[in-house]
């Protein structure tokens, strides 16, 4: 880089550009139609589908990298397995796949990256390093997510911020973080002392279960992906991801129907 090109901008221009850009993105995300917690495969597909349908969507992810359990495949071998019912989603996302008998494989990194890009290009806001720690409730309905910067609230007495939304999706995977927020306060149906948790592995049943058991656990709070198994009890299934993709698609369709009539929140 020569002297004249270095003179085109200052270090503070870089900082201002980031601050302004992030502030616009963050500001728009504070009120949405759907707030999704967890950027794993189910959360990202839900974000993509809902944003594609014209809803304002924010995804909060506590880690630096979105993609959840996709990246590592199985044992860190970064290939994932998908069954034929979910190939349409891979094709639409431009993810290449290879037949292995009755199932198919795809590159884990290609899948994680493609889902992020699809969600972003459809218009969803994706905020990483944001950890959801609670839910906002008004008149027995979930109305938003209470979130903090990852590691901030845990280590310092620093208050969180609220992301208001008309619907919230718990896509936090095995942790089912938001379902636990309601369960520990006795707000779930039948007030269980603890959530049933995942059952032992049964991949074929588990895949079917996560697609078909998408539900509104409490008014305004939906569960998708592994958080369904953790919150209502269902088998785990290991590194096969078709059920997660289909579960994300299904929760988006059901929320779309339930929000229909009131129309998407106008973009600002
Ligand atoms: O675990 P994860 O990938 O959930 P999923 O979409 O998919 C499950 C599969 O990856 C795999 C499997 C396949 O058969 O069993 O496990 O159901 O993604 C969950 C995401 O939620 C984030 C977490 O970092 C991960 O990226 N997450 C968890 N808790 C929080 C959170 C939280 N409190 N706030 C924000 N993000």
């Amino acid at each position: 880089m020569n002297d004249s090109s270095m003179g085109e901008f200052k270090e503070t221009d870089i900082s201002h550009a980031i601050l302004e850009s992030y502030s616009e993105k963050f500001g728009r995300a504070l009120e949405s139609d759907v707030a999704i917690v967890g950027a794993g495969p189910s959360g990202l597909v839900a974000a993509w589908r809902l944003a594609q349908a014209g809803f304002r969507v924010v995804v909060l992810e506590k880690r630096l990298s979105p993609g959840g359990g996709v990246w590592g495949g199985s044992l860190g071998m970064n290939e994932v397995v998908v069954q034929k019912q979910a190939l349409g989603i891979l094709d639409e996302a431009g993810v290449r796949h290879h037949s292995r008998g009755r199932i198919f494989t795809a590159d884990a990194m290609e899948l994680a990256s493609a889902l992020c890009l699809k969600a972003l290009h459809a218009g969803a806001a994706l905020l990483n390093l944001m950890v959801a720690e609670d839910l906002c409730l008004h008149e027995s309905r979930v109305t938003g997510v209470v979130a903090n910067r990852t590691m901030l609230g845990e280590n310092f007495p620093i208050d969180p911020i609220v992301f208001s939304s008309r619907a919230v999706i718990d896509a936090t995977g095995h942790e089912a973080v938001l379902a636990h927020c309601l369960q520990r306060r006795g707000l779930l149906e039948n007030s269980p002392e603890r959530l049933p948790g995942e059952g032992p592995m049964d991949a074929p049943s588990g895949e079917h279960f996560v697609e078909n058991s998408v539900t509104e656990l409490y008014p305004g709070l939906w569960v998708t992906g592994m958080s369904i198994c953790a919150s209502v009890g269902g088998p785990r299934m290991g590194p096969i991801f078709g059920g997660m993709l289909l579960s994300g698609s299904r929760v988006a369709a059901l929320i779309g129907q339930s929000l229909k009539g009131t129309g998407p929140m106008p973009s600002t």
Side-chain angles (χ1 to χ4, degrees):
M1 195 183 283
N2 61 32
D3 284 351
S4 63
S5 66
M6 279 175 55
E8 285 168 12
F9 59 85
K10 308 190 294 281
E11 283 79 4
T12 47
D13 294 336
I14 302 172
S15 310
H16 279 299
I18 288 175
L19 264 177
E20 283 161 23
S21 242
Y22 189 74
S23 154
E24 282 166 21
K25 179 160 63 180
F26 196 90
R28 280 197 303 272
L30 287 175
E31 282 174 303
S32 63
D33 293 304
V34 188
I36 301 173
V37 179
S42 62
L44 287 173
V45 170
W48 165 22
R49 293 296 194 219
L50 283 160
Q52 198 174 38
F55 293 102
R56 278 178 68 177
V57 178
V58 58
V59 184
L60 305 174
E61 167 54 51
K62 71 177 179 182
R63 294 186 192 150
L64 183 58
S65 313
V70 171
W71 290 110
S74 172
L75 291 179
M77 297 184 283
N78 59 356
E79 286 286 316
V80 293
V81 168
V82 169
Q83 61 278 50
K84 73 171 183 312
Q85 291 83 346
L87 291 185
I89 298 179
L90 294 193
D91 289 337
E92 222 186 307
V95 176
R96 296 162 297 175
H97 46 79
H98 311 279
S99 167
R100 305 273 169 200
R102 286 184 290 171
I103 51 177
F104 300 80
T105 53
D107 185 281
M109 298 195 178
E110 186 172 335
L111 177 60
S113 315
L115 294 181
C116 283
L117 204 58
K118 278 290 177 187
L120 288 166
H121 284 183
L126 191 34
L127 301 179
N128 62 351
L129 298 175
M130 293 298 306
V131 61
E133 55 177 51
D134 208 345
L135 285 165
C136 201
L137 249 80
H138 287 145
E139 294 165 3
S140 301
R141 184 174 178 86
V142 169
T143 57
V145 178
V146 179
N148 214 325
R149 274 285 178 209
T150 298
M151 296 199 293
L152 213 56
E154 291 155 22
N155 292 304
F156 304 102
I158 294 180
D159 270 327
I161 200 162
V162 172
F163 291 86
S164 294
S165 60
R166 298 198 290 155
V168 171
I169 305 178
D170 185 339
T172 61
H174 303 269
E175 300 173 56
V177 172
L178 303 182
H180 277 103
C181 288
L182 297 183
Q183 175 273 328
R184 64 172 177 263
R185 295 185 173 102
L187 291 170
L188 292 182
E189 209 178 337
N190 305 326
S191 303
E193 274 182 26
R194 51 197 293 272
L195 292 178
E198 287 164 24
M201 189 176 295
D202 177 347
S205 307
E207 285 293 287
H208 187 70
F209 186 83
V210 285
E211 181 186 358
N212 293 299
S213 309
V214 166
T215 187
E216 190 174 18
L217 202 60
Y218 184 87
L221 178 68
W222 296 76
V223 279
T224 186
M226 275 319 288
S227 70
I228 302 176
C229 299
S231 52
V232 305
R236 56 182 300 207
M237 68 295 286
I240 177 159
F241 286 81
M244 301 301 142
L245 305 176
L246 293 164
S247 185
S249 200
R250 186 161 167 75
V251 77
L254 293 176
I255 292 178
Q257 277 167 22
S258 98
L259 296 184
K260 215 163 65 185
T262 49
M265 194 173 267
S267 319
T268 48

